[in-house]
Amino acid sequence: MKKSLPLVLVAALFPAYATTVQNVDSIPSAIQHTEGKQIFSDQMMGATPAQWFGELPQGLELTQWIAWVAPNEDPKNLILTGAKPWGKDGKYIGVACFADNQADAEQTRKRADNGCPENYSTSRVNKLYLGVFSWQNQQLQPIARSEKPLDQLSAWNKAAEKETDDESVKPLAYYTKLDLAPYRIAPDNLAFGVRGGYSNAYSGGGAFYEVLELYMIKNNKIINVFSNLVYQYQDIAGDWNHDGTRQHDISESKYILKMRSAKTHGFYDLERVNLQDKSSRIFRWSESLQQYVP
């Protein structure tokens, strides 16, 4: 096992909620957590996901937004944009998601995913850009941007690409929402989250994984400082019933992230807590890597 992999593999070490249902129709009521209910509804039942990326502030022209946040992308390849207020003084966090070409963008928009979905040619997420800006008096005032698509910045992806032994660990296949909980990772540094995930398909079942990535602003750039699993769901088809239906073994794990009072190199330690048995793992700031590590 490679040295960097504990960053992404710790979830598999912790207990999960588990139950058995008698047939596939009983699965939704057996899912305990909101994340699982949303993922199951979106991916297994075809529901239209909520608009978790928000909308650009009124008056901000789409062409102006794209020209700043993703100047090297062709506007014809745009899949989705959005923004949400963040903090004070009219600040926003905005996104722009692009396909590789116009045909793919048009086809993806028809699916109305309301997220930055999977590129089915590469099995990787499409190109999602981030920008933090101020919108006051109908003026866009740039603060920081990612400059590259998030999949190229993601510590999760970099570690997952090196993993060959665990098929449950994969690079992100889609981004779903902004997570603007107050992640104050240092006294003068407020980070923000982006959630994404990926899935595995089994014969008669499957698994979904949700990853939380924290980003902060440094020197007018947005950098990834934390990436780890916060939810996982697994459905394994079991015994056949006499009526031709099939039992399913359902398991879930959910984790929350806490800011601790202790600091490392000026950054608060992070504690990821398993809600099932309250076990936890501490992540501390690495000055050399400029990110959190276990």
Side-chain angles (χ1 to χ4, degrees):
M1 193 67 68
K2 300 178 179 65
K3 187 176 181 180
S4 61
L5 290 182
L7 176 65
V8 298
L9 295 180
V10 289
L13 304 177
F14 293 133
Y17 159 82
T19 189
T20 298
V21 298
Q22 292 302 305
N23 53 57
V24 69
D25 293 336
S26 302
I27 292 177
S29 60
I31 299 175
Q32 297 290 298
H33 298 294
T34 302
E35 292 86 350
K37 292 180 182 295
Q38 290 175 345
I39 294 171
F40 189 89
S41 177
D42 298 345
Q43 299 201 17
M44 303 302 293
M45 302 181 69
T48 300
Q51 292 182 325
W52 295 107
F53 285 120
E55 298 181 354
L56 294 178
Q58 187 174 5
L60 176 55
E61 296 291 338
L62 183 62
T63 53
Q64 181 186 13
W65 166 242
I66 293 175
W68 173 65
V69 76
N72 296 321
E73 295 292 340
D74 188 338
K76 295 179 181 178
N77 300 341
L78 181 68
I79 297 173
L80 169 144
T81 62
K84 285 191 170 184
W86 184 53
K88 301 177 180 179
D89 304 322
K91 290 189 179 70
Y92 284 81
I93 298 174
V95 303
C97 175
F98 294 86
D100 290 333
N101 55 67
Q102 185 176 356
D104 285 352
E106 292 175 351
Q107 188 65 31
T108 302
R109 288 197 298 269
K110 291 178 181 178
R111 297 202 302 265
D113 285 329
N114 289 337
C116 192
E118 184 175 1
N119 180 325
Y120 291 105
S121 297
T122 64
S123 297
R124 295 284 295 271
V125 67
N126 279 290
K127 294 176 285 187
L128 183 69
Y129 293 83
L130 282 174
V132 179
F133 63 97
S134 176
W135 180 253
Q136 293 181 319
N137 301 318
Q138 298 293 296
Q139 295 291 323
L140 171 66
Q141 299 176 354
I143 296 174
R145 62 186 181 187
S146 60
E147 297 191 349
K148 296 179 180 179
L150 295 198
D151 68 304
Q152 296 182 26
L153 303 179
S154 169
W156 176 274
N157 283 357
K158 292 174 183 177
E161 287 167 353
K162 300 175 182 178
E163 170 58 29
T164 58
D165 299 328
D166 189 347
E167 65 178 11
S168 70
V169 177
K170 294 182 177 181
L172 296 177
Y174 47 83
Y175 283 107
T176 55
K177 65 182 72 174
L178 290 171
D179 181 346
L180 303 186
Y183 295 110
R184 186 162 296 281
I185 59 176
D188 59 350
N189 202 321
L190 184 65
F192 61 90
V194 182
R195 293 189 179 232
Y198 57 96
S199 61
N200 279 329
Y202 310 141
S203 176
F208 306 111
Y209 304 85
E210 183 169 279
V211 173
L212 169 64
E213 299 194 325
L214 295 186
Y215 289 86
M216 77 173 192
I217 298 171
K218 182 179 181 181
N219 299 330
N220 300 321
K221 294 182 180 180
I222 295 173
I223 64 172
N224 181 214
V225 296
F226 174 87
S227 296
N228 218 295
L229 282 172
V230 289
Y231 177 78
Q232 56 184 3
Y233 162 90
Q234 189 175 54
D235 167 12
I236 298 178
D239 295 335
W240 290 95
N241 299 316
H242 293 302
D243 61 0
T245 60
R246 197 172 184 182
Q247 298 176 23
H248 289 258
D249 296 323
I250 307 299
S251 63
E252 295 177 271
S253 296
K254 181 175 178 177
Y255 312 87
I256 60 173
L257 199 63
K258 294 183 177 181
M259 310 293 116
R260 295 169 58 88
S261 58
K263 297 177 187 175
T264 302
H265 300 298
F267 287 82
Y268 295 117
D269 297 344
L270 305 183
E271 182 179 13
R272 198 192 68 149
V273 181
N274 185 312
L275 291 184
Q276 183 68 19
D277 68 348
K278 307 305 179 184
S279 59
S280 66
R281 188 76 178 264
I282 305 299
F283 295 79
R284 295 179 173 86
W285 183 256
S286 168
E287 193 66 18
S288 60
L289 297 176
Q290 291 292 288
Q291 65 184 38
Y292 281 93
V293 295

